[in-house]
Amino acid sequence: MFKKYVEAGNRLRKLHLMEANAIKELSIESTDNNLLIEQVKYKDGKLYINKSTAIIGVTEEIFNYYIGGYQVIDKWLKSHKGEVLNFDNFTHIKKIAGIIEETIKIQRTL
């Protein structure tokens, strides 16, 4: 049992320090190509960054995942409010979503 927790802890440490790759496949759906992060909202299985643009593939479980009292993806997007979602930022969100997804899987095994 102890060995199982050690292995899980090592994997979680690597994930949370972004030393291990875990990328979630996501896509963007937009009616007007507006990539400005304005109002973050999760609705009907889509993560909206404004009224016309959503990130597809973030599950409700991933969006609602808390670390240290914060919903991780929600907090990240809100801290970048007023910025345009560019390739690098979108790649970072894909990494965060993948890390959270992998974290949830590990937690379920414990």
Side-chain angles (χ1 to χ4, degrees):
M1 180 67 105
F2 179 75
K3 185 178 178 182
K4 183 178 181 177
Y5 277 91
V6 168
E7 290 171 358
N10 282 331
R11 178 72 175 144
L12 288 169
R13 179 187 55 79
K14 288 178 182 177
L15 284 167
H16 291 218
L17 293 174
M18 294 187 156
E19 293 174 355
N21 284 331
I23 297 175
K24 176 94 172 134
E25 285 302 315
L26 305 175
S27 61
I28 296 175
E29 178 180 278
S30 182
T31 57
D32 62 3
N33 294 321
N34 176 10
L35 297 178
L36 185 65
I37 301 169
E38 296 175 313
Q39 184 176 355
V40 179
K41 183 177 182 180
Y42 194 89
K43 182 179 176 187
D44 300 327
K46 297 178 183 179
L47 174 55
Y48 287 88
I49 61 169
N50 60 46
K51 290 180 181 179
S52 62
T53 303
I55 298 173
I56 308 300
V58 175
T59 65
E60 188 172 359
E61 185 176 33
I62 291 171
F63 180 73
N64 288 328
Y65 192 83
Y66 280 79
I67 295 178
Y70 295 101
Q71 285 176 271
V72 181
I73 292 178
D74 183 61
K75 173 81 170 157
W76 191 92
L77 287 168
K78 286 180 178 175
S79 72
H80 289 81
K81 189 175 179 177
E83 297 178 20
V84 173
L85 183 64
N86 60 30
F87 178 80
D88 291 336
N89 288 344
F90 187 57
T91 300
H92 191 71
I93 291 170
K94 290 165 69 170
K95 288 179 184 179
I96 293 170
I99 289 166
I100 293 171
E101 183 176 61
E102 187 68 19
T103 298
I104 292 168
K105 286 178 187 174
I106 292 168
Q107 288 177 324
R108 286 185 178 146
T109 67
L110 301 176

